[in-house]
mmCIF file of all heavy atoms in Angstrom:
data_model
loop_
_atom_site.group_PDB
_atom_site.id
_atom_site.type_symbol
_atom_site.label_atom_id
_atom_site.label_comp_id
_atom_site.label_asym_id
_atom_site.label_seq_id
_atom_site.Cartn_x
_atom_site.Cartn_y
_atom_site.Cartn_z
ATOM 1 N N GLY A 11 83.635 -77.415 30.222
ATOM 2 C CA GLY A 11 82.894 -78.165 31.248
ATOM 3 C C GLY A 11 81.966 -77.141 31.883
ATOM 4 O O GLY A 11 82.354 -75.963 31.978
ATOM 5 N N ILE A 20 77.005 -87.771 38.917
ATOM 6 C CA ILE A 20 77.826 -88.080 40.130
ATOM 7 C C ILE A 20 77.990 -89.570 40.166
ATOM 8 O O ILE A 20 77.115 -90.345 39.865
ATOM 9 C CB ILE A 20 77.065 -87.566 41.377
ATOM 10 C CG1 ILE A 20 77.095 -86.045 41.433
ATOM 11 C CG2 ILE A 20 77.708 -88.159 42.624
ATOM 12 C CD1 ILE A 20 76.356 -85.455 42.598
ATOM 13 N N LEU A 29 70.977 -89.661 35.524
ATOM 14 C CA LEU A 29 70.610 -90.795 34.585
ATOM 15 C C LEU A 29 70.082 -90.269 33.270
ATOM 16 O O LEU A 29 69.766 -91.088 32.429
ATOM 17 C CB LEU A 29 69.545 -91.665 35.286
ATOM 18 C CG LEU A 29 69.947 -92.347 36.648
ATOM 19 C CD1 LEU A 29 68.775 -93.141 37.223
ATOM 20 C CD2 LEU A 29 71.125 -93.269 36.471
ATOM 21 N N ARG A 34 73.166 -82.687 27.159
ATOM 22 C CA ARG A 34 73.375 -81.436 27.837
ATOM 23 C C ARG A 34 73.309 -81.584 29.354
ATOM 24 O O ARG A 34 73.732 -80.658 30.089
ATOM 25 C CB ARG A 34 72.343 -80.361 27.329
ATOM 26 C CG ARG A 34 72.548 -80.113 25.846
ATOM 27 C CD ARG A 34 71.386 -79.303 25.332
ATOM 28 N NE ARG A 34 70.092 -79.970 25.598
ATOM 29 C CZ ARG A 34 68.933 -79.412 25.433
ATOM 30 N NH1 ARG A 34 68.779 -78.175 24.943
ATOM 31 N NH2 ARG A 34 67.823 -80.126 25.671
ATOM 32 N N GLY A 86 93.777 -80.777 37.173
ATOM 33 C CA GLY A 86 94.284 -81.317 35.875
ATOM 34 C C GLY A 86 95.572 -80.828 35.486
ATOM 35 O O GLY A 86 95.997 -81.146 34.295
ATOM 36 N N PRO A 92 101.356 -82.894 27.359
ATOM 37 C CA PRO A 92 101.515 -82.953 25.926
ATOM 38 C C PRO A 92 101.814 -81.560 25.301
ATOM 39 O O PRO A 92 102.552 -81.474 24.363
ATOM 40 C CB PRO A 92 100.119 -83.456 25.453
ATOM 41 C CG PRO A 92 99.558 -84.108 26.648
ATOM 42 C CD PRO A 92 100.035 -83.382 27.850
ATOM 43 N N LYS A 114 102.433 -75.986 46.593
ATOM 44 C CA LYS A 114 102.409 -76.967 47.635
ATOM 45 C C LYS A 114 101.895 -78.276 47.165
ATOM 46 O O LYS A 114 102.474 -79.337 47.459
ATOM 47 C CB LYS A 114 101.520 -76.374 48.723
ATOM 48 C CG LYS A 114 101.519 -77.148 50.030
ATOM 49 C CD LYS A 114 100.763 -76.310 51.049
ATOM 50 C CE LYS A 114 100.320 -77.185 52.211
ATOM 51 N NZ LYS A 114 99.363 -76.500 53.058
ATOM 52 N N PHE A 116 101.518 -79.350 43.878
ATOM 53 C CA PHE A 116 102.231 -79.812 42.684
ATOM 54 C C PHE A 116 103.676 -79.378 42.749
ATOM 55 O O PHE A 116 104.130 -78.791 41.741
ATOM 56 C CB PHE A 116 101.514 -79.367 41.424
ATOM 57 C CG PHE A 116 100.045 -79.699 41.359
ATOM 58 C CD1 PHE A 116 99.090 -78.862 41.769
ATOM 59 C CD2 PHE A 116 99.650 -80.939 40.804
ATOM 60 C CE1 PHE A 116 97.736 -79.282 41.690
ATOM 61 C CE2 PHE A 116 98.379 -81.346 40.726
ATOM 62 C CZ PHE A 116 97.374 -80.455 41.159
ATOM 63 N N TYR A 118 106.437 -80.780 42.354
ATOM 64 C CA TYR A 118 107.367 -81.258 41.281
ATOM 65 C C TYR A 118 107.293 -80.412 40.025
ATOM 66 O O TYR A 118 108.230 -80.310 39.235
ATOM 67 C CB TYR A 118 107.097 -82.720 40.976
ATOM 68 C CG TYR A 118 105.714 -82.959 40.421
ATOM 69 C CD1 TYR A 118 105.531 -83.100 39.032
ATOM 70 C CD2 TYR A 118 104.616 -83.005 41.266
ATOM 71 C CE1 TYR A 118 104.232 -83.229 38.505
ATOM 72 C CE2 TYR A 118 103.339 -83.221 40.712
ATOM 73 C CZ TYR A 118 103.108 -83.311 39.363
ATOM 74 O OH TYR A 118 101.909 -83.440 38.830
ATOM 75 N N PHE A 120 106.912 -77.194 39.992
ATOM 76 C CA PHE A 120 107.562 -75.915 40.261
ATOM 77 C C PHE A 120 109.037 -76.119 40.719
ATOM 78 O O PHE A 120 109.641 -75.107 40.967
ATOM 79 C CB PHE A 120 106.749 -75.125 41.357
ATOM 80 C CG PHE A 120 105.383 -74.749 40.890
ATOM 81 C CD1 PHE A 120 104.306 -75.576 40.962
ATOM 82 C CD2 PHE A 120 105.162 -73.494 40.322
ATOM 83 C CE1 PHE A 120 103.030 -75.274 40.588
ATOM 84 C CE2 PHE A 120 103.866 -73.111 39.878
ATOM 85 C CZ PHE A 120 102.847 -74.043 40.002
ATOM 86 N N PRO A 130 106.030 -81.574 33.858
ATOM 87 C CA PRO A 130 105.793 -80.373 33.167
ATOM 88 C C PRO A 130 106.311 -79.141 33.919
ATOM 89 O O PRO A 130 106.461 -79.239 35.110
ATOM 90 C CB PRO A 130 104.250 -80.252 33.054
ATOM 91 C CG PRO A 130 103.798 -81.047 34.243
ATOM 92 C CD PRO A 130 104.768 -82.100 34.560
ATOM 93 N N VAL A 134 105.239 -68.678 35.748
ATOM 94 C CA VAL A 134 104.336 -68.152 36.721
ATOM 95 C C VAL A 134 104.082 -66.656 36.543
ATOM 96 O O VAL A 134 105.078 -65.907 36.463
ATOM 97 C CB VAL A 134 104.775 -68.411 38.143
ATOM 98 C CG1 VAL A 134 103.821 -67.621 39.147
ATOM 99 C CG2 VAL A 134 104.859 -69.870 38.481
ATOM 100 N N SER A 141 95.049 -54.730 38.031
ATOM 101 C CA SER A 141 95.988 -54.771 36.915
ATOM 102 C C SER A 141 95.367 -55.297 35.600
ATOM 103 O O SER A 141 94.148 -55.651 35.641
ATOM 104 C CB SER A 141 97.178 -55.761 37.264
ATOM 105 O OG SER A 141 96.666 -57.028 37.413
ATOM 106 N N PHE A 167 87.646 -60.679 28.702
ATOM 107 C CA PHE A 167 88.412 -60.691 27.442
ATOM 108 C C PHE A 167 87.542 -59.836 26.466
ATOM 109 O O PHE A 167 86.533 -60.399 25.951
ATOM 110 C CB PHE A 167 88.479 -62.099 26.899
ATOM 111 C CG PHE A 167 89.423 -63.058 27.551
ATOM 112 C CD1 PHE A 167 89.200 -63.534 28.847
ATOM 113 C CD2 PHE A 167 90.525 -63.557 26.844
ATOM 114 C CE1 PHE A 167 90.002 -64.438 29.454
ATOM 115 C CE2 PHE A 167 91.364 -64.575 27.465
ATOM 116 C CZ PHE A 167 91.080 -65.000 28.747
ATOM 117 N N ARG A 178 79.329 -63.229 45.758
ATOM 118 C CA ARG A 178 79.147 -61.765 46.013
ATOM 119 C C ARG A 178 80.180 -61.036 45.145
ATOM 120 O O ARG A 178 81.331 -61.495 45.026
ATOM 121 C CB ARG A 178 79.425 -61.509 47.488
ATOM 122 C CG ARG A 178 79.241 -60.088 47.970
ATOM 123 C CD ARG A 178 79.286 -60.012 49.489
ATOM 124 N NE ARG A 178 80.606 -60.444 50.047
ATOM 125 C CZ ARG A 178 81.623 -59.663 50.101
ATOM 126 N NH1 ARG A 178 81.551 -58.408 49.661
ATOM 127 N NH2 ARG A 178 82.760 -60.051 50.639
ATOM 128 N N GLU A 182 82.265 -51.896 42.588
ATOM 129 C CA GLU A 182 83.365 -51.394 41.804
ATOM 130 C C GLU A 182 83.856 -52.461 40.758
ATOM 131 O O GLU A 182 84.297 -52.045 39.701
ATOM 132 C CB GLU A 182 84.615 -51.160 42.737
ATOM 133 C CG GLU A 182 84.614 -49.851 43.508
ATOM 134 C CD GLU A 182 84.540 -48.699 42.583
ATOM 135 O OE1 GLU A 182 85.311 -48.506 41.658
ATOM 136 O OE2 GLU A 182 83.514 -47.851 42.703
ATOM 137 N N LYS A 188 80.656 -53.746 32.592
ATOM 138 C CA LYS A 188 79.647 -52.984 31.829
ATOM 139 C C LYS A 188 79.980 -53.011 30.289
ATOM 140 O O LYS A 188 81.126 -52.939 29.932
ATOM 141 C CB LYS A 188 79.590 -51.524 32.311
ATOM 142 C CG LYS A 188 78.992 -51.381 33.726
ATOM 143 C CD LYS A 188 77.484 -51.767 33.679
ATOM 144 C CE LYS A 188 76.921 -51.759 35.105
ATOM 145 N NZ LYS A 188 75.578 -52.460 35.218
ATOM 146 N N VAL A 194 79.328 -64.922 31.453
ATOM 147 C CA VAL A 194 79.133 -66.329 32.014
ATOM 148 C C VAL A 194 79.280 -66.229 33.527
ATOM 149 O O VAL A 194 80.225 -65.558 34.016
ATOM 150 C CB VAL A 194 80.152 -67.278 31.475
ATOM 151 C CG1 VAL A 194 80.092 -68.653 32.135
ATOM 152 C CG2 VAL A 194 80.067 -67.339 29.936
ATOM 153 N N SER A 200 68.620 -74.393 42.827
ATOM 154 C CA SER A 200 67.620 -73.451 43.269
ATOM 155 C C SER A 200 67.791 -73.127 44.804
ATOM 156 O O SER A 200 67.594 -71.951 45.157
ATOM 157 C CB SER A 200 66.198 -74.021 43.091
ATOM 158 O OG SER A 200 66.064 -74.186 41.688
ATOM 159 N N LEU A 209 70.072 -70.050 41.640
ATOM 160 C CA LEU A 209 69.531 -69.622 40.357
ATOM 161 C C LEU A 209 68.966 -68.173 40.475
ATOM 162 O O LEU A 209 69.204 -67.351 39.603
ATOM 163 C CB LEU A 209 68.455 -70.590 39.874
ATOM 164 C CG LEU A 209 67.750 -70.279 38.553
ATOM 165 C CD1 LEU A 209 68.782 -70.330 37.446
ATOM 166 C CD2 LEU A 209 66.665 -71.353 38.273
ATOM 167 N N LYS A 210 68.287 -67.915 41.516
ATOM 168 C CA LYS A 210 67.645 -66.601 41.733
ATOM 169 C C LYS A 210 68.775 -65.471 41.827
ATOM 170 O O LYS A 210 68.660 -64.454 41.218
ATOM 171 C CB LYS A 210 66.820 -66.673 43.056
ATOM 172 C CG LYS A 210 66.329 -65.250 43.551
ATOM 173 C CD LYS A 210 65.103 -64.817 42.770
ATOM 174 C CE LYS A 210 64.426 -63.633 43.471
ATOM 175 N NZ LYS A 210 65.249 -62.390 43.475
ATOM 176 N N ALA A 212 71.762 -65.663 40.673
ATOM 177 C CA ALA A 212 72.449 -65.571 39.398
ATOM 178 C C ALA A 212 71.597 -64.780 38.412
ATOM 179 O O ALA A 212 72.104 -63.956 37.598
ATOM 180 C CB ALA A 212 72.750 -66.948 38.810
ATOM 181 N N GLY A 220 73.685 -56.692 33.015
ATOM 182 C CA GLY A 220 73.057 -56.219 31.723
ATOM 183 C C GLY A 220 73.697 -56.596 30.509
ATOM 184 O O GLY A 220 73.667 -55.802 29.484
ATOM 185 N N SER A 230 74.839 -77.797 39.295
ATOM 186 C CA SER A 230 74.650 -79.112 40.087
ATOM 187 C C SER A 230 73.441 -79.878 39.435
ATOM 188 O O SER A 230 72.575 -79.287 38.865
ATOM 189 C CB SER A 230 74.315 -78.755 41.509
ATOM 190 O OG SER A 230 73.719 -79.851 42.129
ATOM 191 N N HIS A 231 73.499 -81.204 39.614
ATOM 192 C CA HIS A 231 72.366 -82.025 39.134
ATOM 193 C C HIS A 231 71.089 -81.487 39.862
ATOM 194 O O HIS A 231 69.963 -81.742 39.309
ATOM 195 C CB HIS A 231 72.639 -83.461 39.448
ATOM 196 C CG HIS A 231 72.693 -83.831 40.902
ATOM 197 N ND1 HIS A 231 73.730 -83.343 41.648
ATOM 198 C CD2 HIS A 231 71.968 -84.616 41.660
ATOM 199 C CE1 HIS A 231 73.579 -83.807 42.919
ATOM 200 N NE2 HIS A 231 72.449 -84.545 42.934
ATOM 201 N N ALA A 237 66.794 -79.052 29.818
ATOM 202 C CA ALA A 237 65.729 -78.677 28.926
ATOM 203 C C ALA A 237 64.633 -77.972 29.735
ATOM 204 O O ALA A 237 64.073 -76.924 29.315
ATOM 205 C CB ALA A 237 65.155 -79.842 28.188
ATOM 206 N N LYS A 242 62.414 -71.970 31.361
ATOM 207 C CA LYS A 242 61.872 -70.988 32.318
ATOM 208 C C LYS A 242 62.733 -69.715 32.441
ATOM 209 O O LYS A 242 62.353 -68.806 33.129
ATOM 210 C CB LYS A 242 61.745 -71.623 33.706
ATOM 211 C CG LYS A 242 60.768 -72.806 33.788
ATOM 212 C CD LYS A 242 60.752 -73.351 35.178
ATOM 213 C CE LYS A 242 60.157 -74.786 35.144
ATOM 214 N NZ LYS A 242 60.755 -75.661 36.220
ATOM 215 N N ASN A 246 67.156 -63.774 27.166
ATOM 216 C CA ASN A 246 68.582 -63.520 26.966
ATOM 217 C C ASN A 246 69.475 -64.269 27.955
ATOM 218 O O ASN A 246 70.649 -63.903 28.080
ATOM 219 C CB ASN A 246 68.907 -62.031 26.900
ATOM 220 C CG ASN A 246 68.584 -61.363 28.259
ATOM 221 O OD1 ASN A 246 67.856 -61.908 29.055
ATOM 222 N ND2 ASN A 246 69.271 -60.252 28.468
#
Side-chain angles (χ1 to χ4, degrees):
I20 288 180
L29 300 176
R34 297 171 303 173
K114 191 170 159 193
F116 300 94
Y118 64 97
F120 295 85
V134 173
S141 65
F167 288 67
R178 183 169 64 80
E182 280 303 304
K188 289 294 172 195
V194 176
S200 296
L209 184 59
K210 169 80 169 66
S230 162
H231 66 295
K242 297 177 198 149
N246 63 339

